[in-house]
Structure formats: structure tokens, C-alpha cells
């Protein structure tokens, strides 16, 4: 406590303070020294009794002097030594090169794992790692794997990715040889398979890699590649492609809208290719415009094609109209107009179809060509418009010289071949042989010479048959000209059929076409042509071991000998064809009957017996089974039987045979002559009844009955002759009456008057 109350004292504890070194003085308070100085200044004597002396300062023994440390120079020297040591030992303190490569590869992996990778930096690190491959081979496989990955990331962002996919494939293959960590092996297999697929490798190899591939980052893409391989292989496995696409759809992320739309589009296309329209439409319903406007528009194309395949052409037309209205449709506008025209046509809107096709013809490429073929198809379906079809065919195929020149996905080559072949046959059946010949020539351009040569031969032969028939109906120079033209066509058919028997065909096919050539040559009936036919038939016998074709050869050799007036050879040949089961038995029977009829008999009785024998044999051709298998032989035999009976003067039998022939085969070339003979049969029967009528020795009732029958027979004769006369007069007015039938017109007129 302070001893002097007059002073303001500090109650703080005494603090010992040490002054500078060597002072040894301590104060009770830091302000004490100044207080003492103040007292001395005011003259307070220290010994004044009125003044109470404060406690004196306390003295302590001085602390021992500390040695002064002078450190900067030694420390500086030590620092220099340390710096030198760091500089000298620096190479030995760096990380090992192997650690550096692993660090670079780890950095490279991190760069590639980013959403927007720094591919350039990653490739630089990868190449550095490969440069050290000779020293550290354990990193080569991983470096190649990561470099391949870098090229994949670059390819996926590039518009021209072919080179990067090839580089990726090369690095992945090197990684497979060099080896990668077990965790990377499934990813390497997947990415190598992906690169192989992108660079057109063998699909079997890609599938083999995918079997052991897996990548958690792209689980759905593995199934996508499998589906694409099965769908696009030369022999597509559509079922496997559909199963893989469904597996992909299940693994697509919820936000991958475009990928999901692409998968459903592929699924619909696969079902469409399998003609499973119901499932295709179900898949198309899963594609929404918000997922991907481009894919949605493309899916409407598949909707239209599905409806077309279901023959719902009105609905298909609506889908095409929807696409037609878009400013940037997914397919060419010419294609849309072409398909729309087809749907209009099938929906019965022919005028709208023509308008749409007119628009399509203004486009270039496939749509214009396909439109020409569709217009030809439309004209073929209309009998009145069929002649105009040839012009459309010629326009469509004007730039095609061989099958390889024809490339059109809208109207494929096989479909074009079928259409041209059908047109050739339709024109031939309609009797438009000139157009049929043009179609056969055009068929050469889309199918090669093989099939077109065969159709051309058939067309020429049909034309020849038609001209021969016309010659029978014409007269004078017109008939002669028709026969000359017929021979030209048959010779052309012979040449074409002979050319069709190429050496590269099987012997059986060669024999078949040589036989056809011989048949055509026989129709000419000229000596040189007949000799050509015999030579062709001999070639057939050398090529064929088929009993059926050999039977036909023997028959046509007999026909050739017959026309060459080699009677004995002809009879021998025809008789060899009369054995059971012979393919030409009915024809040979008819031709043999004609030959036998030309042989004179020494007496009337022998002549009658011969006619009866011929009739008995020929009657076998009237069997219904013969009519079904050989209509021509049955027709000719029916008329010939009537003629033989007429020659035998068996008027009743002749009437029966002739009436039956006219009833069953009214359009035969023999019909006119046979009608006249039928009328004469009635006339001669009426003559017999007339004799009975005038026989006064017979009862009157019998004579009256005979008179009635006579009048009925004459009435039948009048009906036949009037009908025949009218028909022949009509032909004469139309200038279609042949020279052979001109005498018949005069005879029928007299016979009618006679009756």
C-alpha cells in the first residue's frame, strides 16, 4: 500500500523492470523515476521530517553479460552450400520416368472422360507415352487404348470422321496386342468392335468382339451395333436385328430422346421389311416430334409405306400429302410426288395421279424414271390405253444399255424386269406383235440377252401363226404377202431359239430350245426350212436322254418328212408315236389319218373299209382327256371325222360329227367348210326322203311322214346355208374374204336357193 496519503498511488503490484544491460535498477512502478525527479525539482529535501520518505529503489545483482551472436555470414555460407547441393542433386530428386508416364496416362484418361474433352492435349500425352514404349513396354497397350479412345471422341465430333475411325481401329488393335488392364479389356473389346463396324470390317468379326464387350458408359450402343450388323448384312437376319433393337431401347437413358427415336425408327423399318405392318406402325407411334423433328418427319415416310403395303392407299396419300406440305421434307419432293401419284392411282383417283406424276417428271433422277414406268404400268392396265405404254417404256429406259446401267431404288431392277416382261406378253396376247417385239428388245437392256431372246422368239412365232391365219382369210397378193411375212417371223423365231440354246446352259435346256427352233422351222413349209428342222432335231437327240422330248423329236421329224413328201418316212414316224403314253400320240394319229386318206384304194369296197378303219382310230382323239391335253388335235380330229363320213356318203353320221364339231369348236378354221358340208348332208338326206315321198307303192301315211321329214331337213339346210352365206358376205364387205372361201360363198348361195 502507498505510505503517503497525499500522493496518488497505483495499487498495482510491483513490477520488476530491468533496464538496459548493466543498470541493475528496479522500480516499484514504471512512473516512479519521474516522480522522484519531480520531488527533487520542487525542493523536497529528502531528510525533511515532514516528508515521509518513500521506499527506496531495490537493487538486484546485474545479470551476466550474454555473448553476442553474430550469425549472418555462417548462415549465408550454409545457404550457398545448400543451393549447390540442390543444383547438383536435382536430377536425382526428379520422379522416375515410369511414374511420369503413368501420370500422363492418368491425365489423358481424365481428359477423355470429360463431357467436352481436350482431345489435342490427350493425343499429345498419348504420343509421348508411345515414344517411351521401348523403355516402358508395360504402358504401350494402355497408351494405344487411350489414343484409340481419343480418335473415337474426335470422330464423333467430326463431319469427316473416316480417317479418325481408321486410326482408332489401328490403335485399338495395337492395344489388344500390347495388352491392357483387366478392367479395360471389356471396354477395349467394345470400342474395337465399334471401330471395326465403322470402318466396314467383317460383320462376323465385329459380332465376335461384341460377345465379350461391355462398356458401362454406352450399354445401349452395343445392342445398336448388333442390330445394324444383322439388319445390313448381305443376308439380313431381321429377327435378330429386331431383338437387338428392343434390347437397346430398354437401356437407353431417359433423357436420350433422339437416340430413342432413332431406335424406334430402325425397329419400324425392320418390321416393315418383314411385312409386319402392325408392329411397324406401333413402333412409329413411339416417335414424337419433340424427340427429334428430323426423325419424326422421316418416320412419316415409313407410315406412308406401311399404309401402302397394307393397300390403304387413301391413308398413305394423306401421309405423303403431309410431307409434301413441308418446306424441307425428309425425302426429295420428286419422290413424294411419285409416291403420291401411285397412291392416287391405286385409290381410284387417276386424274390426281397424272397431275402428281407430271410434277414428278419435272424432277431429276430416280423419281422421273420411276414415274415413266408407273405411267406405262397404268396404260397396260387399261386395254384402250395399252398402245401408249410402249412410249413410256422407251422414255424410261432410253439411257439404259445393260442391266448395270439401271439403278433406281424407287422402282428396283427386278420389278422393272417383271413389268417389261409382262408388257411383252400382254402385247403379244393382244396381237400387237410390233410392240411386243419392242418390249423384248427393251428387256435385253434390263435383264441381258437370255430371257429377252426367249420372249423375242415366242413373239416372232406367235406373229407368224397370226400371219398364217390372216393369209387364210385374205386373197390375192395380200394373202401371199401375209404368208411371206409369216415365214420371216418363223425364221426369226428359229434363229432366236437356236441362239437361246447357248453352250453354258445345261444339256436339257439346250435340247428344249433346239426343239422349239425346229418346231418354228417346220411351220415355214419351205424345203430349206424343213431340212434345217431335221438337222436341229438330230442335235436334240444327241443332247437329250429324256423320253418325252425324244418322242416329240420323232413326231416333228415325221412332220418334216411329210412336208418334204417323204411319205414312207413320215408314215413310219407317225406310227412310232402311236404307242401309249406318247406325248404326241393324238397329233400323230390325226396326221397319219390325213396321209392314209390320200392313198387311193383299188375298189370302192376297200376304200370304204379303209375309211372305216381311219375313222375308228381317229375317234380316239374325241376322248375328253385328249381335249384337255391336246385341244388342237381334238379339234382337227372332230372336223376330220365329219369329212370322212361325208366322203363315205354316210350323211347321217356326217351330220352327227359335223354338228358336234361346230358346236364344240365354233371358231375353227374348218368351221366354214364344215357348215357347207353340214348343209349338204341335210340336202342329201332330204333327197332320200323325197324318193320315199314319190314311191307310190308305199302307204300314204308313210309317204306323208317322209314328206314332213324332207321339209324339216330342207329347213335345216336353209338355216345353215343362210347363216354361212351371211357370214361370208360380211367378210366380203369387210374385205376379209379369203380366196379359199370365195367359191364357198357362191356355192352356199346356190345351195340355199336349191333348198
Amino acid at each position: 500500500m502507498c505510505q503517503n496519503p497525499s500522493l496518488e498511488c497505483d495499487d498495482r503490484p510491483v513490477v520488476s523492470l530491468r533496464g538496459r544491460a548493466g543498470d541493475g535498477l528496479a522500480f516499484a512502478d514504471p512512473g516512479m523515476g519521474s516522480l522522484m525527479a519531480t520531488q527533487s525539482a520542487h525542493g523536497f529535501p529528502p531528510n525533511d521530517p515532514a516528508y515521509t520518505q518513500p521506499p527506496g529503489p531495490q537493487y538486484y545483482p546485474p545479470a551476466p553479460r550474454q555473448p553476442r551472436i553474430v550469425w549472418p555470414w555462417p548462415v549465408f555460407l550454409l545457404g550457398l552450400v545448400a543451393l549447390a547441393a540442390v543444383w547438383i542433386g536435382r536430377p536425382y530428386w526428379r520422379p522416375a520416368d515410369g511414374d511420369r508416364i503413368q501420370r500422363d496416362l492418368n491425365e489423358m484418361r481424365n481428359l477423355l472422360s470429360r463431357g467436352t474433352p481436350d482431345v489435342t492435349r490427350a493425343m499429345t500425352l498419348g504420343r509421348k507415352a508411345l515414344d517411351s514404349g521401348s523403355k516402358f513396354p508395360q504402358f504401350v497397350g494402355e497408351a494405344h487404348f487411350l489414343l484409340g479412345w481419343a480418335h473415337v471422341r474426335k470422330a464423333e465430333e467430326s463431319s469427316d470422321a473416316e480417317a479418325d475411325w481408321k486410326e482408332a481401329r489401328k490403335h485399338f488393335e495395337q492395344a489388344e496386342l500390347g495388352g491392357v488392364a483387366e478392367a479395360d479389356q471389356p471396354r477395349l473389346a467394345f470400342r474395337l468392335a465399334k471401330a471395326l463396324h465403322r470402318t466396314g470390317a467383317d460383320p462376323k468379326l465385329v459380332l465376335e468382339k461384341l460377345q465379350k464387350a461391355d462398356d458401362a458408359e454406352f450399354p445401349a450402343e452395343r445392342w445398336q451395333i448388333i442390330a445394324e450388323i444383322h439388319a445390313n448384312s448381305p443376308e439380313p437376319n431381321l429377327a435378330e436385328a429386331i431383338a437387338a433393337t428392343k434390347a437397346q431401347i430398354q437401356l437407353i437413358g431417359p433423357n436420350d430422346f433422339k437416340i430413342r427415336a432413332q431406335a424406334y425408327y430402325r425397329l419400324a423399318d425392320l418390321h416393315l421389311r418383314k411385312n409386319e405392318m402392325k408392329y411397324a406402325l406401333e413402333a412409329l407411334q413411339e416417335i414424337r416430334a419433340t424427340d427429334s423433328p428430323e426423325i419424326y418427319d422421316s418416320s412419316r415416310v415409313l407410315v406412308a409405306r406401311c399404309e401402302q403395303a397394307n393397300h390403304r392407299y387413301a391413308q398413305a396419300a394423306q401421309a405423303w400429302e403431309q410431307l409434301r406440305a413441308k418446306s424441307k421434307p425428309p425425302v426429295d419432293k420428286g419422290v413424294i410426288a411419285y409416291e403420291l401419284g401411285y397412291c392416287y392411282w391405286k385409290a381410284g383417283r387417276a386424274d390426281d395421279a397424272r397431275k402428281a406424276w407430271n410434277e414428278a417428271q419435272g424432277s431429276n433422277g430416280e423419281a422421273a424414271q420411276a414415274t415413266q414406268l408407273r405411267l406405262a404400268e397404268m396404260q397396260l392396265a387399261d386395254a384402250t390405253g395399252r398402245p401408249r405404254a410402249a412410249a413410256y417404256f422407251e422414255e424410261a429406259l432410253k439411257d439404259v444399255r445393260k442391266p448395270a446401267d439401271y439403278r433406281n431404288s424407287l422402282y428396283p431392277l427386278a420389278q422393272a424386269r417383271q413389268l417389261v416382261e409382262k408388257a411383252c406378253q400382254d402385247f403379244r396376247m393382244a396381237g400387237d406383235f410390233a410392240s411386243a417385239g419392242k418390249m423384248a428388245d427393251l428387256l435385253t437392256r434390263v435383264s441381258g440377252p437370255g430371257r429377252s431372246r426367249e420372249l423375242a422368239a415366242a413373239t416372232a412365232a406367235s406373229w407368224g401363226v397370226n400371219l398364217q391365219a390372216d393369209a387364210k382369210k385374205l386373197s390375192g397378193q395380200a394373202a401371199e404377202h401375209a404368208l411371206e411375212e409369216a415365214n420371216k417371223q418363223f425364221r426369226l423365231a428359229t434363229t432366236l431359239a437356236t441362239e437361246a440354246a447357248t453352250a453354258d446352259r445345261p444339256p436339257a435346256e439346250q435340247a428344249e430350245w433346239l426343239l422349239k427352233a425346229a418346231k418354228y422351222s417346220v411351220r415355214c413349209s419351205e424345203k430349206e426350212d424343213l431340212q434345217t428342222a431335221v438337222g436341229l432335231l438330230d442335235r436334240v437327240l444327241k443332247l437329250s436322254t429324256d423320253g418325252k422330248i425324244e418322242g416329240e423329236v420323232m413326231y416333228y421329224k415325221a412332220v418334216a418328212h411329210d412336208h418334204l413328201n417323204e411319205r414312207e418316212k413320215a408314215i413310219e414316224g407317225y406310227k412310232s408315236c402311236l404307242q401309249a403314253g406318247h406325248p404326241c400320240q393324238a397329233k400323230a394319229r390325226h396326221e397319219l389319218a390325213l396321209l392314209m386318206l390320200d392313198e387311193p384304194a383299188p375298189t370302192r369296197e376297200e376304200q370304204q373299209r379303209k375309211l372305216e378303219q381311219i375313222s375308228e382310230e381317229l375317234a380316239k382323239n374325241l376322248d375328253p382327256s385328249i381335249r384337255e391335253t391336246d385341244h388342237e388335235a381334238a379339234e382337227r380330229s372332230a372336223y376330220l371325222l365329219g369329212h370322212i363320213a361325208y366322203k363315205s356318203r354316210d350323211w347321217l353320221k356326217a351330220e352327227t360329227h359335223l354338228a358336234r364339231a361346230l358346236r364344240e369348236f365354233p371358231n375353227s378354221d374348218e368351221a366354214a367348210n364344215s357348215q357347207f358340208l353340214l348343209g349338204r348332208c341335210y340336202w342329201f338326206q332330204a333327197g332320200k326322203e323325197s324318193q320315199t315321198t314319190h314311191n307310190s307303192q308305199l302307204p300314204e301315211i308313210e309317204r306323208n311322214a317322209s314328206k314332213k321329214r324332207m321339209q324339216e331337213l330342207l329347213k335345216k339346210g336353209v338355216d345353215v346355208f343362210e347363216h354361212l352365206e351371211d357370214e361370208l358376205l360380211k367378210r366380203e364387205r369387210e374385205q376379209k374374204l379369203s380366196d379359199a372361201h370365195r367359191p364357198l360363198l357362191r356355192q352356199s348361195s346356190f345351195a340355199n336357193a336349191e333348198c
Side-chain angles (χ1 to χ4, degrees):
M1 294 296 292
C2 183
Q3 300 296 324
N4 189 351
S6 64
L7 296 174
E8 295 181 1
C9 297
D10 192 350
D11 292 332
R12 291 178 294 179
V14 176
V15 180
S16 175
L17 297 176
R18 185 178 302 274
R20 291 179 179 153
D23 292 342
L25 185 63
F27 298 98
D29 186 78
M32 186 61 69
S34 60
L35 177 62
M36 291 176 60
T38 303
Q39 291 175 346
S40 175
H42 288 288
F44 293 116
N47 297 319
D48 188 351
Y51 173 74
T52 303
Q53 183 72 26
Q58 301 179 17
Y59 291 90
Y60 295 92
R65 182 180 295 275
Q66 295 294 326
R68 186 175 182 182
I69 298 175
V70 183
W71 57 268
W73 286 107
V75 171
F76 176 72
L77 291 175
L78 286 174
L80 289 177
V81 172
L83 287 173
V86 169
W87 178 259
I88 295 171
R90 180 175 57 83
Y92 303 98
W93 294 348
R94 292 172 59 193
D97 284 347
D99 295 337
R100 177 180 56 78
I101 294 173
Q102 186 63 68
R103 182 195 63 198
D104 290 346
L105 292 176
N106 291 338
E107 182 184 354
M108 184 179 181
R109 191 182 294 266
N110 291 332
L111 288 172
L112 294 174
S113 299
R114 295 175 183 174
T116 54
D118 187 349
V119 176
T120 303
R121 169 66 177 162
M123 287 184 174
T124 301
L125 293 172
R127 283 190 284 268
K128 285 175 60 179
L130 286 182
D131 291 341
S132 304
S134 59
K135 296 180 180 179
F136 302 97
Q138 68 271 26
F139 298 117
V140 170
E142 183 178 4
H144 276 297
F145 168 65
L146 294 175
L147 272 171
W149 185 3
H151 280 288
V152 169
R153 294 302 300 266
K154 184 180 177 183
E156 289 174 341
E157 300 295 330
S158 173
S159 58
D160 184 15
E162 183 178 358
D164 284 300
W165 281 116
K166 289 180 179 179
E167 287 296 316
R169 172 180 173 175
K170 182 171 65 177
H171 283 297
F172 287 141
E173 288 172 340
Q174 291 297 320
E176 195 174 44
L177 293 174
V180 296
E182 184 176 356
D184 284 335
Q185 289 176 4
R187 290 192 286 270
L188 171 60
F190 167 73
R191 292 170 191 183
L192 174 56
K194 184 176 179 179
L196 289 169
H197 177 57
R198 295 287 188 177
T199 54
D202 184 2
K204 293 182 180 179
L205 176 61
V206 179
L207 289 174
E208 179 183 339
K209 297 293 182 185
L210 289 173
Q211 287 178 354
K212 51 187 178 182
D214 188 20
D215 196 327
E217 296 181 35
F218 311 101
E221 192 172 1
R222 173 175 175 268
W223 289 108
Q224 176 185 340
I225 296 173
I226 294 173
E228 290 174 353
I229 290 174
H230 285 304
N232 301 324
S233 62
E235 297 181 359
N237 189 336
L238 300 181
E240 288 293 336
I242 289 172
T245 303
K246 289 181 178 178
Q248 177 199 359
I249 290 172
Q250 294 176 356
L251 296 173
I252 294 174
N255 296 323
D256 294 331
F257 303 113
K258 185 172 183 178
I259 295 175
R260 183 182 299 276
Q262 290 172 338
Y264 273 115
Y265 182 89
R266 187 189 325 113
L267 182 61
D269 181 59
L270 291 168
H271 282 303
L272 181 60
R273 291 165 64 181
K274 285 191 71 178
N275 290 323
E276 296 174 347
M277 306 307 160
K278 175 184 176 183
Y279 300 118
L281 287 171
E282 288 177 356
L284 291 169
Q285 290 174 356
E286 297 294 331
I287 302 175
R288 295 177 291 272
T290 54
D291 295 342
S292 171
E294 298 82 6
I295 297 175
Y296 177 78
D297 289 344
S298 298
S299 71
R300 299 309 93 184
V301 176
L302 294 188
V303 169
R305 299 200 185 282
C306 285
E307 298 292 8
Q308 283 180 224
N310 284 332
H311 306 293
R312 294 158 52 92
Y313 297 107
Q315 290 81 353
Q318 291 177 358
W320 289 119
E321 287 169 347
Q322 180 182 358
L323 291 167
R324 190 187 195 184
K326 293 185 176 296
S327 58
K328 294 182 178 180
V331 294
D332 182 72
K333 289 188 175 182
V335 173
I336 295 174
Y338 159 75
E339 296 287 7
L340 187 58
Y342 176 72
C343 293
Y344 283 151
W345 175 40
K346 289 299 183 179
R349 300 166 58 181
D351 291 339
D352 291 334
R354 290 188 180 91
K355 292 178 182 178
W357 280 336
N358 286 337
E359 179 182 338
Q361 287 183 79
S363 63
N364 295 321
E366 294 185 354
Q369 184 183 47
T371 297
Q372 295 290 341
L373 292 172
R374 285 296 185 195
L375 286 167
E377 190 177 349
M378 175 189 279
Q379 297 300 330
L380 280 178
D382 181 9
T384 59
R386 186 183 293 120
R388 294 191 294 273
Y392 288 117
F393 278 115
E394 290 176 332
E395 178 66 22
L397 302 177
K398 63 182 180 181
D399 296 327
V400 177
R401 290 293 174 267
K402 56 185 181 298
D405 295 339
Y406 185 94
R407 291 179 294 274
N408 196 308
S409 60
L410 297 175
Y411 210 105
L413 179 60
Q415 189 176 353
R417 287 172 179 165
Q418 292 176 356
L419 180 62
V420 177
E421 184 172 340
K422 180 181 182 301
C424 182
Q425 294 172 343
D426 287 352
F427 280 123
R428 180 160 58 90
M429 295 300 294
D432 187 351
F433 301 107
S435 296
K438 289 180 181 178
M439 294 302 103
D441 179 63
L442 291 177
L443 187 61
T444 305
R445 306 185 189 185
V446 293
S447 67
R451 181 57 179 158
S452 62
R453 186 186 291 125
E454 296 172 4
L455 285 176
T459 299
S462 297
W463 200 348
V465 171
N466 189 266
L467 288 169
Q468 281 185 342
D470 289 343
K472 293 179 180 180
K473 300 175 184 178
L474 298 174
S475 60
Q477 292 184 350
E480 293 178 4
H481 178 71
L483 284 175
E484 290 176 2
E485 291 298 318
N487 288 339
K488 287 182 181 179
Q489 293 301 323
F490 282 126
R491 291 186 186 108
L492 175 60
T494 300
T495 302
L496 291 170
T498 304
E499 291 175 353
T502 53
D504 59 334
R505 302 185 78 158
E509 293 184 11
Q510 294 183 50
E512 178 185 354
W513 280 101
L514 289 174
L515 177 58
K516 288 183 178 182
K519 291 178 181 179
Y520 300 148
S521 191
V522 165
R523 297 295 295 261
C524 292
S525 298
E526 296 288 338
K527 184 176 180 179
E528 292 182 358
D529 299 310
L530 295 169
Q531 291 173 343
T532 299
V534 173
L536 290 169
L537 292 168
D538 289 337
R539 290 176 59 186
V540 173
L541 288 175
K542 293 178 182 179
L543 287 168
S544 176
T545 57
D546 185 353
K548 180 179 179 180
I549 199 170
E550 288 177 358
E552 288 191 84
V553 170
M554 296 307 297
Y555 169 75
Y556 283 103
K557 285 190 76 172
V559 172
H561 290 309
D562 189 0
H563 292 172
L564 288 169
N565 293 322
E566 298 173 354
R567 184 180 182 83
E568 297 302 324
K569 290 182 179 180
I571 291 175
E572 182 182 356
Y574 287 138
K575 286 183 176 179
S576 68
C577 299
L578 295 181
Q579 56 187 338
H582 195 283
C584 300
Q585 184 185 39
K587 289 186 177 70
R589 188 179 287 128
H590 174 265
E591 297 301 327
L592 183 60
L594 290 175
L595 276 176
M596 299 302 292
L597 285 171
D598 289 339
E599 286 186 350
T603 64
R604 183 173 179 80
E605 290 75 13
E606 291 181 9
Q607 175 73 7
Q608 192 65 30
R609 283 196 299 270
K610 184 183 72 171
L611 293 177
E612 289 177 358
Q613 290 174 357
I614 294 173
S615 296
E616 184 179 353
E617 180 68 21
L618 194 60
K620 296 177 181 178
N621 281 358
L622 300 184
D623 188 276
S625 61
I626 299 296
R627 182 172 180 176
E628 292 178 2
T629 57
D630 196 337
H631 184 274
E632 183 180 2
E635 175 187 321
R636 292 182 176 183
S637 299
Y639 281 102
L640 184 56
L641 275 171
H643 294 179
I644 293 173
Y646 187 87
K647 189 172 184 179
S648 300
R649 299 188 177 186
D650 188 343
W651 315 121
L652 182 59
K653 183 182 288 187
E655 175 200 342
T656 303
H657 285 307
L658 292 170
R660 176 180 178 179
L662 288 166
R663 182 173 62 252
E664 295 183 357
F665 309 101
N667 298 320
S668 173
D669 294 338
E670 296 292 332
N673 284 325
S674 296
Q675 284 186 63
F676 178 78
L677 295 181
L678 178 60
R680 295 300 288 173
C681 288
Y682 291 133
W683 165 258
F684 288 124
Q685 291 181 72
K688 283 188 176 182
E689 295 295 338
S690 175
Q691 293 176 1
T692 304
T693 301
H694 292 88
N695 189 349
S696 58
Q697 297 179 359
L698 295 176
E700 185 177 357
I701 188 171
E702 187 174 341
R703 287 186 280 127
N704 290 336
S706 181
K707 183 178 181 179
K708 183 178 180 181
R709 287 194 298 271
M710 180 189 70
Q711 291 173 344
E712 290 175 353
L713 288 168
L714 290 173
K715 177 65 168 63
K716 289 181 179 179
V718 168
D719 291 341
V720 171
F721 288 130
E722 282 185 349
H723 182 272
L724 176 60
E725 185 180 14
D726 292 341
E727 177 63 27
L728 295 176
L729 286 171
K730 179 182 178 183
R731 294 184 190 178
E732 186 178 43
R733 289 193 298 270
E734 295 175 355
Q735 297 182 349
K736 294 181 179 179
L737 185 64
S738 66
D739 288 344
H741 286 163
R742 195 168 296 280
L744 192 61
L745 172 58
R746 184 173 60 254
Q747 291 171 3
S748 62
S749 298
F750 280 113
N752 185 27
E754 220 174 5
C755 287

